[in-house]
Amino acid sequence: MLCVALYIIQAMLLCSVAVRDVKHPVRALAWLIIGIVLPFVGVGLYFVLYRRLPAQSRKQTGESPGKPDSTEVPPAISTPSGRNICRIVTHMTRAPAVPAECTVYSDGRAMYHALLRALRQARHSIDLEFYIFRADHIGMRVVDVLCEQARAGVRVRWIRDGVGSRSLPKAVVDRCEAAGIRCRVFYPVRFPWLSPRLNRRDHRKIVVVDGERAFVGGMNIGDEYTGQKDDVGRWRDTHLHIVGGGACRELSRVFERAWTLSSEERRRNNPSRHPRAVTDRLATEFSAEVAPPAHRPPPSSTHQGWVQTVDSGPDYPIPSVRNLFFAGLTQSESSVDIITPYFIPDTDLLTAMKVAVHKGVRVRLLVPEQPDHAAVGYVSRTFYPELLRAGIDVYLYQEGVLHAKVMIIDGETCVLGAANYDLRSFRTNYEVCQVVYSQALANYLERQFEADLQRSTPLNARWLANIPPWQRPVERVARLFAPLL
């Protein structure tokens, strides 16, 4: 009798998962399998990790209520796809495209050189928001500049993600707070640890200086992004430096929303860790690591363009970043080039890629040969045969780590930011992307894309035939759990 009762309860729980996640059937299927393999435990984990957050109103997300004042497209945006994408983004974000100066960095050394220079030149305010912030050579150089500026009277606010930056020593935070920096943690991991917040991370990388210049893209704060870390090797990334008050205001809006969701630091009542003692100790400990670099940073590219900001999160009214990628594919007329370290699209995006090819658009996808997460690699490879059969060109990057997130549409519209081409970025993480309309910038990124292809291997039928037999069932099983990665 007890077994029958437990069976009925388990069946009701599984049915509740299916009904509750009916809008995301693929994710529901993954959790149903977990619930069957781990009775009660699997369903319990689902309800803890995927408890619904209340949807944020447009006032809370910083968006203006109602329709935008105007969907007029700047005359400088000349391609039909660019004009259509601009209208779509304007309607989604309630913010029109604004002019800005944009500099693209694909090398971490050059980006950090420019970032440190901008931080030193700050006069009023510095806002930082990072998924990963490490207390290594680069991280401590940034901390030194922030502390100097805070002591000089500049308002400095710093958000770090509670999981991505969980290894950051408390002593570093104490030092920053002692200097006058306001520090917050986005959804910190605290008792009882398992909560809906654990699965919802702040994946953004944003710096806004004086409300006039900003840095946004794929690079966090850490030595690995310089490509000089022996156990990592060459790092291929993309980051954007924006100069212009209008574009920076939108990024400030994104930062302010994250600031309200973040938690204040919890200070320790430990006399041995007094902020003054921590400051003095760290100043000595890292004194050898704050000297300016001896190397000359590599060149970058600066162009004028029109910019829009698209951000999204699990409690937003619509999946804006996912809709942006969909708009780029469906509105394209001649070419779409995509660079992403993680490729796990949903059905609609996969269909949009194939339909774009059917109407004559050249679609090329550049992904790493070996993603830094093995499970992601297994899942991504299950999509490649389908893409190749549809006529999409797929390339595997061979030289080091590919971490860039770039989309170039019809030689004018560029999408750069922190969001990957995967379900986690679309539904679970807090993300941000910049849409830049500039033929000059697009041409620069296309040349960079062509150079990346020289370091890549194109996929073909021979590659598919050489997949080990044991790998195919592993990949199929991994794909079942794609919505959870």
Side-chain angles (χ1 to χ4, degrees), residues 271-293:
S272 64
R273 299 183 65 83
H274 190 275
R276 177 63 64 182
V278 170
T279 303
D280 295 341
R281 179 176 62 80
L282 285 178
T284 302
E285 181 178 345
F286 293 102
S287 61
E289 297 195 356
V290 296

PDB file of all heavy atoms in Angstrom, residues 271-293:
ATOM      1  N   PRO A 271      39.033  40.920  14.803  1.00  0.00           N
ATOM      2  CA  PRO A 271      40.018  41.979  14.980  1.00  0.00           C
ATOM      3  C   PRO A 271      41.260  41.783  14.118  1.00  0.00           C
ATOM      4  O   PRO A 271      41.884  42.747  13.696  1.00  0.00           O
ATOM      5  CB  PRO A 271      40.367  41.884  16.477  1.00  0.00           C
ATOM      6  CG  PRO A 271      39.198  41.192  17.091  1.00  0.00           C
ATOM      7  CD  PRO A 271      38.678  40.266  16.068  1.00  0.00           C
ATOM      8  N   SER A 272      41.633  40.545  13.846  1.00  0.00           N
ATOM      9  CA  SER A 272      42.839  40.300  13.058  1.00  0.00           C
ATOM     10  C   SER A 272      42.657  40.681  11.602  1.00  0.00           C
ATOM     11  O   SER A 272      43.625  40.738  10.853  1.00  0.00           O
ATOM     12  CB  SER A 272      43.228  38.822  13.145  1.00  0.00           C
ATOM     13  OG  SER A 272      42.226  38.013  12.552  1.00  0.00           O
ATOM     14  N   ARG A 273      41.396  40.927  11.192  1.00  0.00           N
ATOM     15  CA  ARG A 273      41.132  41.281   9.798  1.00  0.00           C
ATOM     16  C   ARG A 273      40.593  42.709   9.713  1.00  0.00           C
ATOM     17  O   ARG A 273      39.697  43.013   8.934  1.00  0.00           O
ATOM     18  CB  ARG A 273      40.142  40.298   9.179  1.00  0.00           C
ATOM     19  CG  ARG A 273      40.638  38.867   9.174  1.00  0.00           C
ATOM     20  CD  ARG A 273      39.654  37.953   8.498  1.00  0.00           C
ATOM     21  NE  ARG A 273      39.508  38.251   7.069  1.00  0.00           N
ATOM     22  CZ  ARG A 273      40.333  37.791   6.133  1.00  0.00           C
ATOM     23  NH1 ARG A 273      41.362  37.047   6.443  1.00  0.00           N
ATOM     24  NH2 ARG A 273      40.134  38.092   4.861  1.00  0.00           N
ATOM     25  N   HIS A 274      41.111  43.571  10.549  1.00  0.00           N
ATOM     26  CA  HIS A 274      40.709  44.974  10.520  1.00  0.00           C
ATOM     27  C   HIS A 274      41.031  45.554   9.149  1.00  0.00           C
ATOM     28  O   HIS A 274      42.091  45.286   8.589  1.00  0.00           O
ATOM     29  CB  HIS A 274      41.450  45.753  11.610  1.00  0.00           C
ATOM     30  CG  HIS A 274      40.920  47.135  11.788  1.00  0.00           C
ATOM     31  ND1 HIS A 274      41.338  48.185  11.018  1.00  0.00           N
ATOM     32  CD2 HIS A 274      39.983  47.633  12.645  1.00  0.00           C
ATOM     33  CE1 HIS A 274      40.704  49.282  11.394  1.00  0.00           C
ATOM     34  NE2 HIS A 274      39.879  48.966  12.375  1.00  0.00           N
ATOM     35  N   PRO A 275      40.134  46.353   8.560  1.00  0.00           N
ATOM     36  CA  PRO A 275      40.360  46.879   7.222  1.00  0.00           C
ATOM     37  C   PRO A 275      41.716  47.567   7.054  1.00  0.00           C
ATOM     38  O   PRO A 275      42.358  47.420   6.031  1.00  0.00           O
ATOM     39  CB  PRO A 275      39.202  47.874   7.044  1.00  0.00           C
ATOM     40  CG  PRO A 275      38.127  47.361   7.940  1.00  0.00           C
ATOM     41  CD  PRO A 275      38.826  46.749   9.119  1.00  0.00           C
ATOM     42  N   ARG A 276      42.163  48.324   8.057  1.00  0.00           N
ATOM     43  CA  ARG A 276      43.443  49.008   7.923  1.00  0.00           C
ATOM     44  C   ARG A 276      44.586  48.015   7.820  1.00  0.00           C
ATOM     45  O   ARG A 276      45.492  48.146   6.989  1.00  0.00           O
ATOM     46  CB  ARG A 276      43.655  49.942   9.123  1.00  0.00           C
ATOM     47  CG  ARG A 276      45.007  50.652   9.125  1.00  0.00           C
ATOM     48  CD  ARG A 276      45.146  51.578   7.923  1.00  0.00           C
ATOM     49  NE  ARG A 276      44.161  52.656   7.983  1.00  0.00           N
ATOM     50  CZ  ARG A 276      44.034  53.574   7.043  1.00  0.00           C
ATOM     51  NH1 ARG A 276      44.793  53.528   5.967  1.00  0.00           N
ATOM     52  NH2 ARG A 276      43.132  54.519   7.164  1.00  0.00           N
ATOM     53  N   ALA A 277      44.537  46.960   8.657  1.00  0.00           N
ATOM     54  CA  ALA A 277      45.586  45.943   8.597  1.00  0.00           C
ATOM     55  C   ALA A 277      45.552  45.207   7.270  1.00  0.00           C
ATOM     56  O   ALA A 277      46.586  44.886   6.685  1.00  0.00           O
ATOM     57  CB  ALA A 277      45.410  44.958   9.756  1.00  0.00           C
ATOM     58  N   VAL A 278      44.350  44.943   6.775  1.00  0.00           N
ATOM     59  CA  VAL A 278      44.233  44.257   5.489  1.00  0.00           C
ATOM     60  C   VAL A 278      44.805  45.114   4.376  1.00  0.00           C
ATOM     61  O   VAL A 278      45.522  44.637   3.498  1.00  0.00           O
ATOM     62  CB  VAL A 278      42.745  43.927   5.216  1.00  0.00           C
ATOM     63  CG1 VAL A 278      42.573  43.437   3.792  1.00  0.00           C
ATOM     64  CG2 VAL A 278      42.250  42.883   6.198  1.00  0.00           C
ATOM     65  N   THR A 279      44.502  46.414   4.411  1.00  0.00           N
ATOM     66  CA  THR A 279      45.015  47.315   3.382  1.00  0.00           C
ATOM     67  C   THR A 279      46.530  47.321   3.362  1.00  0.00           C
ATOM     68  O   THR A 279      47.160  47.208   2.313  1.00  0.00           O
ATOM     69  CB  THR A 279      44.492  48.745   3.624  1.00  0.00           C
ATOM     70  OG1 THR A 279      43.074  48.719   3.639  1.00  0.00           O
ATOM     71  CG2 THR A 279      44.983  49.686   2.546  1.00  0.00           C
ATOM     72  N   ASP A 280      47.138  47.465   4.521  1.00  0.00           N
ATOM     73  CA  ASP A 280      48.598  47.503   4.579  1.00  0.00           C
ATOM     74  C   ASP A 280      49.205  46.185   4.125  1.00  0.00           C
ATOM     75  O   ASP A 280      50.194  46.163   3.393  1.00  0.00           O
ATOM     76  CB  ASP A 280      49.050  47.819   6.013  1.00  0.00           C
ATOM     77  CG  ASP A 280      48.622  49.207   6.450  1.00  0.00           C
ATOM     78  OD1 ASP A 280      48.323  50.033   5.561  1.00  0.00           O
ATOM     79  OD2 ASP A 280      48.579  49.453   7.668  1.00  0.00           O
ATOM     80  N   ARG A 281      48.609  45.063   4.529  1.00  0.00           N
ATOM     81  CA  ARG A 281      49.190  43.771   4.170  1.00  0.00           C
ATOM     82  C   ARG A 281      49.110  43.539   2.668  1.00  0.00           C
ATOM     83  O   ARG A 281      50.075  43.092   2.055  1.00  0.00           O
ATOM     84  CB  ARG A 281      48.449  42.646   4.907  1.00  0.00           C
ATOM     85  CG  ARG A 281      48.979  41.254   4.570  1.00  0.00           C
ATOM     86  CD  ARG A 281      48.274  40.196   5.393  1.00  0.00           C
ATOM     87  NE  ARG A 281      46.852  40.147   5.119  1.00  0.00           N
ATOM     88  CZ  ARG A 281      46.317  39.537   4.055  1.00  0.00           C
ATOM     89  NH1 ARG A 281      47.105  38.951   3.166  1.00  0.00           N
ATOM     90  NH2 ARG A 281      45.010  39.529   3.877  1.00  0.00           N
ATOM     91  N   LEU A 282      47.957  43.846   2.075  1.00  0.00           N
ATOM     92  CA  LEU A 282      47.819  43.609   0.652  1.00  0.00           C
ATOM     93  C   LEU A 282      48.660  44.570  -0.170  1.00  0.00           C
ATOM     94  O   LEU A 282      49.150  44.223  -1.235  1.00  0.00           O
ATOM     95  CB  LEU A 282      46.353  43.724   0.249  1.00  0.00           C
ATOM     96  CG  LEU A 282      45.478  42.534   0.649  1.00  0.00           C
ATOM     97  CD1 LEU A 282      44.046  42.784   0.232  1.00  0.00           C
ATOM     98  CD2 LEU A 282      45.992  41.255   0.010  1.00  0.00           C
ATOM     99  N   ALA A 283      48.829  45.792   0.319  1.00  0.00           N
ATOM    100  CA  ALA A 283      49.682  46.719  -0.408  1.00  0.00           C
ATOM    101  C   ALA A 283      51.088  46.175  -0.530  1.00  0.00           C
ATOM    102  O   ALA A 283      51.769  46.330  -1.547  1.00  0.00           O
ATOM    103  CB  ALA A 283      49.696  48.075   0.301  1.00  0.00           C
ATOM    104  N   THR A 284      51.566  45.507   0.522  1.00  0.00           N
ATOM    105  CA  THR A 284      52.897  44.897   0.463  1.00  0.00           C
ATOM    106  C   THR A 284      52.877  43.638  -0.379  1.00  0.00           C
ATOM    107  O   THR A 284      53.755  43.403  -1.211  1.00  0.00           O
ATOM    108  CB  THR A 284      53.374  44.557   1.889  1.00  0.00           C
ATOM    109  OG1 THR A 284      53.390  45.758   2.657  1.00  0.00           O
ATOM    110  CG2 THR A 284      54.762  43.947   1.849  1.00  0.00           C
ATOM    111  N   GLU A 285      51.855  42.825  -0.209  1.00  0.00           N
ATOM    112  CA  GLU A 285      51.794  41.529  -0.885  1.00  0.00           C
ATOM    113  C   GLU A 285      51.747  41.676  -2.399  1.00  0.00           C
ATOM    114  O   GLU A 285      52.341  40.902  -3.130  1.00  0.00           O
ATOM    115  CB  GLU A 285      50.559  40.779  -0.396  1.00  0.00           C
ATOM    116  CG  GLU A 285      50.396  39.402  -1.005  1.00  0.00           C
ATOM    117  CD  GLU A 285      49.179  38.691  -0.440  1.00  0.00           C
ATOM    118  OE1 GLU A 285      48.658  39.155   0.594  1.00  0.00           O
ATOM    119  OE2 GLU A 285      48.777  37.685  -1.036  1.00  0.00           O
ATOM    120  N   PHE A 286      51.047  42.696  -2.897  1.00  0.00           N
ATOM    121  CA  PHE A 286      50.875  42.837  -4.328  1.00  0.00           C
ATOM    122  C   PHE A 286      51.689  43.986  -4.914  1.00  0.00           C
ATOM    123  O   PHE A 286      51.485  44.373  -6.047  1.00  0.00           O
ATOM    124  CB  PHE A 286      49.392  43.060  -4.654  1.00  0.00           C
ATOM    125  CG  PHE A 286      48.543  41.868  -4.366  1.00  0.00           C
ATOM    126  CD1 PHE A 286      47.754  41.812  -3.226  1.00  0.00           C
ATOM    127  CD2 PHE A 286      48.539  40.787  -5.223  1.00  0.00           C
ATOM    128  CE1 PHE A 286      46.969  40.710  -2.964  1.00  0.00           C
ATOM    129  CE2 PHE A 286      47.750  39.678  -4.968  1.00  0.00           C
ATOM    130  CZ  PHE A 286      46.965  39.639  -3.838  1.00  0.00           C
ATOM    131  N   SER A 287      52.619  44.531  -4.155  1.00  0.00           N
ATOM    132  CA  SER A 287      53.380  45.677  -4.636  1.00  0.00           C
ATOM    133  C   SER A 287      54.173  45.360  -5.883  1.00  0.00           C
ATOM    134  O   SER A 287      54.406  46.222  -6.729  1.00  0.00           O
ATOM    135  CB  SER A 287      54.317  46.182  -3.532  1.00  0.00           C
ATOM    136  OG  SER A 287      55.239  45.159  -3.170  1.00  0.00           O
ATOM    137  N   ALA A 288      54.607  44.112  -6.035  1.00  0.00           N
ATOM    138  CA  ALA A 288      55.408  43.744  -7.198  1.00  0.00           C
ATOM    139  C   ALA A 288      54.548  43.530  -8.436  1.00  0.00           C
ATOM    140  O   ALA A 288      55.075  43.350  -9.533  1.00  0.00           O
ATOM    141  CB  ALA A 288      56.189  42.464  -6.906  1.00  0.00           C
ATOM    142  N   GLU A 289      53.226  43.555  -8.280  1.00  0.00           N
ATOM    143  CA  GLU A 289      52.371  43.217  -9.405  1.00  0.00           C
ATOM    144  C   GLU A 289      51.611  44.412  -9.955  1.00  0.00           C
ATOM    145  O   GLU A 289      50.747  44.251 -10.806  1.00  0.00           O
ATOM    146  CB  GLU A 289      51.372  42.137  -8.994  1.00  0.00           C
ATOM    147  CG  GLU A 289      52.038  40.831  -8.606  1.00  0.00           C
ATOM    148  CD  GLU A 289      51.034  39.694  -8.573  1.00  0.00           C
ATOM    149  OE1 GLU A 289      49.835  39.949  -8.786  1.00  0.00           O
ATOM    150  OE2 GLU A 289      51.448  38.557  -8.360  1.00  0.00           O
ATOM    151  N   VAL A 290      51.907  45.623  -9.502  1.00  0.00           N
ATOM    152  CA  VAL A 290      51.145  46.769  -9.960  1.00  0.00           C
ATOM    153  C   VAL A 290      51.961  47.661 -10.884  1.00  0.00           C
ATOM    154  O   VAL A 290      51.520  48.723 -11.260  1.00  0.00           O
ATOM    155  CB  VAL A 290      50.636  47.603  -8.758  1.00  0.00           C
ATOM    156  CG1 VAL A 290      49.684  46.801  -7.924  1.00  0.00           C
ATOM    157  CG2 VAL A 290      51.794  48.105  -7.910  1.00  0.00           C
ATOM    158  N   ALA A 291      53.141  47.232 -11.265  1.00  0.00           N
ATOM    159  CA  ALA A 291      53.939  48.014 -12.200  1.00  0.00           C
ATOM    160  C   ALA A 291      53.298  47.970 -13.583  1.00  0.00           C
ATOM    161  O   ALA A 291      52.660  46.983 -13.961  1.00  0.00           O
ATOM    162  CB  ALA A 291      55.354  47.449 -12.274  1.00  0.00           C
ATOM    163  N   PRO A 292      53.446  49.048 -14.390  1.00  0.00           N
ATOM    164  CA  PRO A 292      52.852  49.037 -15.724  1.00  0.00           C
ATOM    165  C   PRO A 292      53.495  47.971 -16.594  1.00  0.00           C
ATOM    166  O   PRO A 292      54.655  47.612 -16.410  1.00  0.00           O
ATOM    167  CB  PRO A 292      53.162  50.447 -16.254  1.00  0.00           C
ATOM    168  CG  PRO A 292      54.311  50.914 -15.439  1.00  0.00           C
ATOM    169  CD  PRO A 292      54.155  50.282 -14.097  1.00  0.00           C
ATOM    170  N   PRO A 293      52.752  47.408 -17.559  1.00  0.00           N
ATOM    171  CA  PRO A 293      53.298  46.335 -18.387  1.00  0.00           C
ATOM    172  C   PRO A 293      54.424  46.829 -19.274  1.00  0.00           C
ATOM    173  O   PRO A 293      54.433  47.972 -19.735  1.00  0.00           O
ATOM    174  CB  PRO A 293      52.085  45.899 -19.224  1.00  0.00           C
ATOM    175  CG  PRO A 293      51.203  47.103 -19.268  1.00  0.00           C
ATOM    176  CD  PRO A 293      51.394  47.791 -17.946  1.00  0.00           C
TER     177      PRO A 293
END
